[in-house]
Amino acid sequence: MVPSHMLPRFNEILASLSLKSEVYISNVQHLIDTERPKVRPRADFGWTDYYTLDEIYAWLDSLVEKYPGVVTPIVGGESYEGRQIRGVKVSYKTGNPGVALEGGIHAREWISSATATYILNKLLTSEDPVIKDLAQSFDYYVFPVTNPDGYVYTHTTDRTWRKTRSQSNSACYGADPNRNWDFHWMEAGASSSPCSDSYAGASPFSEIETRTLANYLRSISDTLLVYLDFHSYSQLLMFPYGHSQDHVSNYDVLYPLGLEAAAALAKNNGTRYEVGSIYDAIYPASGGSIDWVRGVLDTPYSYVWELRDTGRYGFLLPASQIIDTAEETLSSAVVILSHAKSNLRVNKKQ
Ligand SMILES: [Zn+2]
């Protein structure tokens, strides 16, 4: 991204180095200005607009009130600036295996948090017998915003902020919370430079957000069967690992199941997703949450979506695409959850 007043100089540099270039987005500010509807929807909460952290947390509170005995508040951890990583647990009966949903670990990926809240809402309100059955067959631990400081910062100051907001000796703030998990940390696709957007942090779990969230996940790991993580953008459905191209032990389950899930997703609006391990499908990247959840907690079904789109809007996906994006994503999650449910006995966690 180049500020307009520096464009001539930038082009000179490109020319002097004989570098070819291509414009992806000609005016980022225009996309920021038109991402949200001109008139805010009148409903308190919905999926035709993006919401602030406070609005999302207030909505979670409203669910606890509306569904007593089913929805309970949970705290997945805390942030550098002292916020809570708040979520809810949805449980219709005791003894269910667990499913965790992680949203918003990268601050600017607003569609991630919106998709997580959309799926949470469907678990509570859908009349579809398949979704109702899945809602009642698992305990869901839903954290729509796992990087609350960063998320707030994208609303107040810099729409395209990605990292946490921790401060160290460096002039630059934050670490990439999806390069900071303590599993093959810093082995691939992560930076040791504090100013990089993929800075892995000073050490594994240097960030309080990842450290405390990992502790929470450890506390439910005995029953945790499925981990669903949402990012944007690129339209990819991926599974571990990111640090190495070696296949995860249940690759022969995760890959075909991923293809089936992507096919179900495409049925909604024709949106095409590529499927593969993180290493194969996008790029080598170590220290991500799903690798840790798979590698350390031994959670058999760990998936991560890179949601819409493929670069036309990038991180600035218009709010008018939230419902279609979330609905198609739910279709793919249903495939994964249905498979996990029908194979409970072959998985050691039940
Ligand atoms: Zn991301």
Side-chain angles (χ1 to χ4, degrees), residues 101-326:
L101 274 71
E102 175 204 301
I105 203 166
H106 284 146
R108 63 191 171 195
E109 297 165 11
W110 287 3
I111 187 61
S112 160
S113 301
T115 299
T117 56
Y118 183 92
I119 293 175
L120 167 59
N121 185 56
K122 286 288 172 179
L123 291 172
L124 295 165
T125 62
S126 179
E127 294 295 328
D128 179 331
V130 174
I131 294 174
K132 269 183 128 162
D133 176 58
L134 290 173
Q136 291 171 12
S137 302
F138 294 100
D139 283 356
Y140 294 85
Y141 303 85
V142 186
F143 298 104
V145 188
T146 49
N147 175 7
D149 296 351
Y151 190 74
V152 167
Y153 195 70
T154 62
H155 280 266
T156 60
T157 311
D158 177 358
R159 175 65 189 85
T160 62
W161 188 257
R162 168 182 169 97
K163 300 189 284 181
T164 61
R165 293 294 300 162
S166 58
Q167 279 180 277
S168 56
N169 295 329
S170 162
C172 293
Y173 284 70
D176 182 341
N178 211 40
R179 298 291 184 279
N180 189 240
W181 295 65
D182 189 6
F183 182 74
H184 295 271
W185 180 80
M186 267 298 284
E187 284 184 15
S191 173
S192 56
S193 162
C195 296
S196 164
D197 248 354
S198 54
Y199 175 47
S203 59
F205 286 146
S206 61
E207 303 310 287
I208 187 171
E209 292 85 357
T210 56
R211 192 167 67 241
T212 53
L213 184 57
N215 281 338
Y216 184 87
L217 295 172
R218 250 188 222 107
S219 76
I220 59 168
S221 65
D222 282 355
T223 59
L224 191 62
L225 186 67
V226 183
Y227 196 83
L228 308 177
D229 181 16
F230 302 102
H231 285 251
S232 72
Y233 60 93
S234 287
Q235 294 175 199
L236 304 167
L237 176 54
M238 302 180 290
F239 49 84
Y241 289 110
H243 72 280
S244 151
Q245 66 185 130
D246 292 347
H247 283 183
V248 65
S249 63
N250 61 340
Y251 183 95
D252 294 342
V253 173
L254 296 185
Y255 182 58
L257 182 57
L259 290 175
E260 200 190 318
L265 188 155
K267 267 195 190 148
N268 290 263
N269 310 295
T271 312
R272 315 300 310 182
Y273 270 59
E274 303 278 326
V275 179
S277 74
I278 296 171
Y279 193 100
D280 290 340
I282 187 164
Y283 39 58
S286 59
S289 60
I290 72 158
D291 275 12
W292 184 87
V293 164
R294 179 66 182 82
V296 176
L297 300 186
D298 207 17
T299 302
Y301 302 97
S302 299
Y303 282 97
V304 55
W305 283 254
E306 291 284 356
L307 298 168
R308 291 191 194 184
D309 56 8
T310 53
R312 161 84 175 79
Y313 295 99
F315 302 114
L316 306 169
L317 191 73
S320 57
Q321 291 196 34
I322 295 172
I323 290 173
D324 281 351
T325 302

